């Protein structure tokens, strides 16, 4: 998934771009917890700070006092392309003879990574990581420096040849570029603070935290260039760069990934999730004593479901917020430990109750199985599981870590078998048609992990 931010201050003496970028990254922490970093212009050249760990751990007060800048980009990483190590963390920085001149942070995944990298390696371009952000950066830098293309033309060339998902911010010395893939797969927005500072970010919660105002979504196939003379948007026709007429926004951003207080693809995320819950309730035949979400991403789905049926809603499970998101943890062993450390039922509350337990999705099923067991062991009489999305049967190749078909329980088992595995009294998912009925403008969305129809191609 990952989160990105880019800050440009018109007043060069403002020098708080790096701090604002870090604040924005702090709000994007839910998008990746493995590593984080910023690149910024120090008045002469680009500087880079990146480390494994959370934003609040990496950017302590000592670091914050040393990074004055009027332009900066930042990244929080959730590993997909390339293993979990500092070499694959972003931003990536590229030196040339006069010092570091290019830096880039990107959210997404490139499906034809291997072939593009081999092409560049054949041109004597050297790679230090397995990360697609480095590939994007070196592709643009190569065509700019070695072939004499402008930065904008190099990005256009990239858009023609790269298949996949990329919302990207790039520094070329003290100039900022922002561009988004022709399918608009990952969210990407532009905000402005006091007519003085441009802010590019993955989600609106990242601009809210620095009190910037939402201006617009960066459009698919749009390249925005900001420098001392102002901002310029170069809007290319996405249909000339993609194999279908429509965008392919990731619908899972609305179901699970994005923060409920964000606006993503013009949808208030919390309201979208309430609608999922309402839709899920329409076919309900179990009247339970209480509706309980698996917190936090299912909270609004459960709320919408309970409201529609007029049932009691309660936070029967309390989440320990100091443990990372289960789905995001890169290793299975870490995921397993997280589950038992992460949730605890309200004492005595579940005793003798018929419980409807709402979750946003089932990917591997291991987490939910443990939660159902936990709810039962605290006295629930019946546990009925309802899922606010369809069965996740297919892996994602566009920036989400569901790498194999075998890992996806819905690819291997029927609904009845999954209910048995979870030891739930009943299990029901939202259907794809029900999900599509909630999504406005459904043609512009990707549903590939539910229906296997990959709009941006398959990983090669
Ligand atoms: S496959 Fe699923 S998770 Fe991946 S982009 Fe499409 S909807 Fe999103």
């Amino acid at each position: 998934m990952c989160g990105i931010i880019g800050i440009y201050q018109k007043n060069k003496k403002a020098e708080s771009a790096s701090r604002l970028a870090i604040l924005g990254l702090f709000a994007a922490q839910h998008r990746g917890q493995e590593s984080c970093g910023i690149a910024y212009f120090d008045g002469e050249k680009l500087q880079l700070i990146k480390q494994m760990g959370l934003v609040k751990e990496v950017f302590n007060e000592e670091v914050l006092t040393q990074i004055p800048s009027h332009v900066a980009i930042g990244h929080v990483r959730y590993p997909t392309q390339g293993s979990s190590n500092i070499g694959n963390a972003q931003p990536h920085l590229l030196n040339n003879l006069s010092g570091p001149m290019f830096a880039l942070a990107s959210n997404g995944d490139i499906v034809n990574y291997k072939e593009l990298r081999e092409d560049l390696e054949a041109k004597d371009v050297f790679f230090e990581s397995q990360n697609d952000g480095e590939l994007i950066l070196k592709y643009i830098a190569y065509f700019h420096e070695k072939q004499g293309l402008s930065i904008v033309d190099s990005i256009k060339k990239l858009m023609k040849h790269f298949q996949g998902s990329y919302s990207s911010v790039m520094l070329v010395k003290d100039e900022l570029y922002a561009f988004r893939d022709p399918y608009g797969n990952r969210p990407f927005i532009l905000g402005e603070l006091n007519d003085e500072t441009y802010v590019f970010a993955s989600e609106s919660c990242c601009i809210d935290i620095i009190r910037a105002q939402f201006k617009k979504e960066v459009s698919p196939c749009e390249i925005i260039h900001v420098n001392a003379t102002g901002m310029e948007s170069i809007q290319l026709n996405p249909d000339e760069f993609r194999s279908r007429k429509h965008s392919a926004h990731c619908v899972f951003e609305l179901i699970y990934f994005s923060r409920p207080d964000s606006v993503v693809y013009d949808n208030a995320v919390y309201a979208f999730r309430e609608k999922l819950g309402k839709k899920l309730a329409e076919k309900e035949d179990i009247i339970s004593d209480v509706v309980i979400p698996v917190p936090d991403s299912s909270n609004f789905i459960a709320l919408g479901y309970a409201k529609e049926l007029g049932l009691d809603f309660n936070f029967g499970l309390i989440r320990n917020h100091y443990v990372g998101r289960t789905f995001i943890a890169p290793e299975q062993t870490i995921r397993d430990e997280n589950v038992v450390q992460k949730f605890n039922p309200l004492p005595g509350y579940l005793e003798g109750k018929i419980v409807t337990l709402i979750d946003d999705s089932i990917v591997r099923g291991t987490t939910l199985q443990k939660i159902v067991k936990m709810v039962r062991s605290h006295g629930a009489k019946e546990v009925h599981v309802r899922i606010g999305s369809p069965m996740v049967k297919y892996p994602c190749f566009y920036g989400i870590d569901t790498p194999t078909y075998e890992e996806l329980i819905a690819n291997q088992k029927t609904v009845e078998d999954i209910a048995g595995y979870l030891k739930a009294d009943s299990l029901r998912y939202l259907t794809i048609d029900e999900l599509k009925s909630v999504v406005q403008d459904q043609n512009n969305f990707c549903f590939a992990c539910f229906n296997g129809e990959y709009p941006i191609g398959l990983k090669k």
Side-chain angles (χ1 to χ4, degrees), residues 185-186 250-252 257 395-396 398 400 446-449:
N185 180 249
R186 294 285 145 214
C250 171
V251 75
F252 234 127
F257 301 131
C396 175
Y398 313 138
I400 305 302
C446 172
F447 300 95
C449 47

Side-chain angles (χ1 to χ4, degrees), residues 142-421:
Y142 176 83
F143 283 99
H144 177 62
E145 294 211 311
K146 304 279 188 217
Q147 304 279 325
L149 296 186
S150 68
I151 295 291
V152 168
D153 283 343
S154 301
I155 297 171
K156 279 188 201 169
K157 193 171 178 68
L158 175 143
M159 286 179 172
K160 200 164 167 220
H161 295 284
F162 276 53
Q163 271 189 309
S165 169
Y166 49 90
S167 288
S168 307
V169 282
M170 180 177 186
L171 294 180
V172 181
K173 210 175 167 199
D174 63 345
E175 304 197 11
L176 177 60
Y177 293 81
F179 53 95
R180 191 177 184 197
D181 65 76
Y183 296 88
N185 180 249
R186 294 285 145 214
F188 199 18
I189 57 161
L190 166 64
E192 198 172 0
L193 177 63
N194 300 332
D195 295 331
E196 286 286 324
T197 301
Y198 296 116
V199 186
F200 296 90
S202 294
E203 285 182 42
S204 60
C205 65
C206 310
I207 67 168
D208 292 342
I209 196 171
I210 55 183
R211 303 282 181 263
Q213 300 295 313
F214 174 83
K215 298 301 278 185
K216 69 186 267 312
E217 275 210 33
V218 178
S219 300
C221 248
E222 184 176 11
I223 304 166
I224 298 179
H225 175 207
V226 195
N227 65 10
T229 60
M231 174 184 286
E232 181 192 16
S233 162
I234 300 107
Q235 179 62 66
L236 308 174
N237 178 0
D239 292 341
E240 290 176 14
F241 294 83
R242 60 193 187 192
S243 57
R244 66 177 209 165
K245 285 274 173 218
H246 303 285
S247 295
H249 304 318
C250 171
V251 75
F252 234 127
E253 291 279 352
L254 295 172
I255 298 167
Y256 170 79
F257 301 131
S258 296
R259 257 176 48 169
D261 52 333
S262 280
V263 176
V264 169
Y265 322 129
D266 289 332
N267 289 269
V269 174
Y270 83 93
F272 182 88
R273 291 181 187 166
E274 279 200 38
K275 283 188 211 160
L276 291 178
K278 185 170 182 290
K279 184 56 75 180
L280 196 53
E282 282 173 8
K283 287 196 186 143
E284 192 51 84
D285 52 11
I286 299 284
I287 300 302
S288 57
D289 296 322
V290 66
V291 178
I292 288 176
V294 176
D296 292 324
S297 49
S298 311
N299 289 353
F300 287 97
I301 301 174
L303 192 61
Y305 174 94
K307 270 191 199 167
E308 180 67 11
L309 294 172
L311 297 176
D312 274 355
F313 166 91
N314 205 345
F315 293 102
L317 296 169
I318 299 304
R319 184 180 157 193
N320 181 342
H321 287 95
Y322 299 96
V323 179
R325 277 180 132 190
T326 304
F327 181 35
I328 268 176
E331 306 292 338
Q332 183 66 47
T333 47
I334 298 173
R335 265 185 222 118
D336 289 349
E337 283 168 25
N338 275 353
V339 177
V340 287
Q341 294 164 7
K342 195 168 170 182
F343 301 105
N344 200 25
L346 296 179
Y349 180 75
L350 299 167
E351 199 70 48
K353 286 194 169 73
I354 299 173
V355 171
T356 298
L357 186 66
I358 306 275
D359 207 351
D360 52 80
S361 55
I362 307 180
V363 177
R364 299 166 179 86
T366 48
T367 306
L368 194 53
Q369 186 198 47
K370 291 183 174 75
I371 292 171
V372 172
K373 188 175 172 192
M374 184 183 278
V375 171
R376 269 195 203 290
S377 69
H378 282 71
K381 195 162 71 183
E382 295 174 24
V383 184
H384 300 273
V385 175
R386 299 292 177 264
I387 305 299
S389 65
M391 298 175 86
V392 178
K393 290 187 175 181
Y394 306 93
C396 175
F397 300 115
Y398 313 138
I400 305 302
D401 180 27
T402 52
T404 65
Y405 291 87
E406 293 73 31
E407 278 191 295
L408 300 169
I409 193 167
N411 188 271
Q412 305 290 315
K413 295 179 190 288
T414 63
V415 176
E416 293 69 31
D417 289 344
I418 297 170
Y421 170 79

